[in-house]
Amino acid sequence: MPSVLFELKDNVGVITLNRPEKMNAFTRNMSVEMQDILRRRITDKQIRAVYLTGNGRGFCAGQDLSDLQGMDAPPFDKLLAEFYDPVVTGIRNLALPVVCGVNGVAAGAGANLALCADIVVAAANASFIQAFTKIGLIPDSGGTYLLPRLVGLQKATALMMLGEKLSAVEAERWGLIYKVFPDEGFTDAAFSLARQLAQMPTRALAYTKQALQASLDNNLPQQLQLEARLQRAAGETNDYREGLSAFLEKRSPNFTGE
Ligand code: T3D
């Protein structure tokens, strides 16, 4: 059984972490499978949004700690470069909207993997734990970049130094995630966001993602220039023409992603 499942559903590429008995703790093998999905399978033209979630009662418990033991475990900088960073950048650079449905606990690199998505929603029973310092490591997988930008430096520092569990409800209140949905019916509610995005103007969403990510480092003049360049590109898409015609003709648009 693969440790990461992939299927196409309603124009959404669904990625499911699949080691439920170990809370989907991340192994090197899992990373290889995930990288293959991001590089080769997501490229299917039918896919216009991605939904990332976990199988079972956890989303992802971070690095599988038993996978780190033994003589063959490379030093951490090499492990990160080979098995974590390509997944983080793969998700961030996808020219598609990525929704993460955090179905249960997200710990360590698992918490930061969730934050890489464009829209993060969680089940009411889910939680987020920056578990790294508890075992003498530092937060990785882009967490020290993303978390302070989401919740501010003070809250990020406390979460990362103390390693305390943050409930999904608090995570929503803090701005770490977009929304909490009830446990019952969670998958349907979370997936419906991805399905909705998959019917929208795909290239405009990709440019929006690109502009928002760049805004984290750009100054205003740089950002205005980027917006102009991306808006020009958006204005040249068929979906823009369709959106405009549909508005003027008082009908629903039929976006194709072109
Ligand atoms: O470069 C590098 O590779 C380093 C990168 C590091 C990045 C990191 O992610 S470091 C942080 C690693 N993660 C953790 O420290 C979290 C460890 N897990 C936990 O704290 C807890 O398991 C949870 C809070 C996630 C869940 O607690 P609970 O009580 O709901 O479940 P549980 O009973 O602890 O776990 C269920 C099973 O999953 C259990 O296995 P068993 O005993 O039934 O056979 C448990 O050992 C296993 N499991 C959970 N997390 C991990 C794990 N096995 C291996 N590695 C794990 N991280």
Side-chain angles (χ1 to χ4, degrees):
M1 198 62 177
S3 55
V4 185
L5 305 175
F6 182 74
E7 63 172 321
L8 175 61
K9 188 177 165 194
D10 300 342
N11 295 106
V12 177
V14 180
I15 303 174
T16 307
L17 306 177
N18 188 38
R19 298 183 68 229
E21 70 292 350
K22 295 290 175 192
M23 311 292 276
N24 302 315
F26 212 69
T27 58
R28 284 176 264 178
N29 187 43
M30 231 164 150
S31 171
V32 170
E33 289 178 21
M34 187 87 167
Q35 289 183 53
D36 181 62
I37 289 169
L38 291 169
R39 286 202 189 117
R40 293 196 312 110
R41 304 190 65 185
I42 293 287
T43 51
D44 184 332
K45 281 270 175 276
Q46 287 185 66
I47 298 176
R48 292 172 57 195
V50 172
Y51 180 66
L52 170 66
T53 193
N55 192 3
R57 71 182 178 91
F59 169 68
C60 175
Q63 167 66 43
D64 185 314
L65 298 175
S66 57
D67 202 35
L68 288 181
Q69 289 178 325
M71 295 298 286
D72 69 327
F76 284 145
D77 57 342
K78 292 209 163 44
L79 271 174
L80 291 174
E82 200 172 337
F83 299 107
Y84 283 88
D85 301 352
V87 174
V88 169
T89 51
I91 292 173
R92 297 289 288 176
N93 294 342
L94 265 187
L96 293 172
V98 179
V99 175
C100 182
V102 181
N103 52 299
V105 65
N112 294 335
L113 178 66
L115 299 185
C116 290
D118 301 304
I119 299 179
V120 186
V121 294
N125 83 89
S127 55
F128 297 81
I129 314 174
Q130 293 289 330
F132 306 86
T133 56
K134 294 208 164 170
I135 54 166
L137 292 181
I138 74 148
D140 59 23
S141 306
T144 57
Y145 179 86
L146 288 169
L147 194 62
R149 285 167 168 79
L150 287 166
V151 301
L153 190 56
Q154 179 57 216
K155 284 190 160 74
T157 305
L159 283 176
M160 290 184 151
M161 285 193 169
L162 298 169
E164 286 173 351
K165 183 189 279 197
L166 188 74
S167 71
V169 171
E170 278 178 302
E172 182 194 294
R173 202 175 323 123
W174 287 19
L176 190 121
I177 64 171
Y178 175 51
K179 262 186 195 170
V180 178
F181 293 123
D183 293 332
E184 201 179 319
F186 170 72
T187 303
D188 286 347
F191 179 75
S192 72
L193 286 181
R195 188 194 288 118
Q196 183 184 338
L197 290 162
Q199 303 307 315
M200 292 179 66
T202 310
R203 287 170 62 188
L205 296 181
Y207 299 145
T208 302
K209 174 172 179 163
Q210 192 181 333
L212 287 170
Q213 288 191 14
S215 78
L216 299 174
D217 302 307
N218 275 351
N219 60 29
L220 182 60
Q222 289 167 328
Q223 195 63 17
L224 291 173
Q225 263 187 10
L226 178 64
E227 285 177 0
R229 185 164 65 75
L230 295 176
Q231 191 68 294
R232 178 179 174 151
E236 289 168 357
T237 61
N238 289 338
D239 278 344
Y240 164 66
R241 281 186 277 280
E242 166 64 5
L244 187 62
S245 305
F247 178 81
L248 296 174
E249 292 161 17
K250 299 189 186 305
R251 60 174 173 83
S252 299
N254 178 21
F255 295 120
T256 60
E258 297 296 323

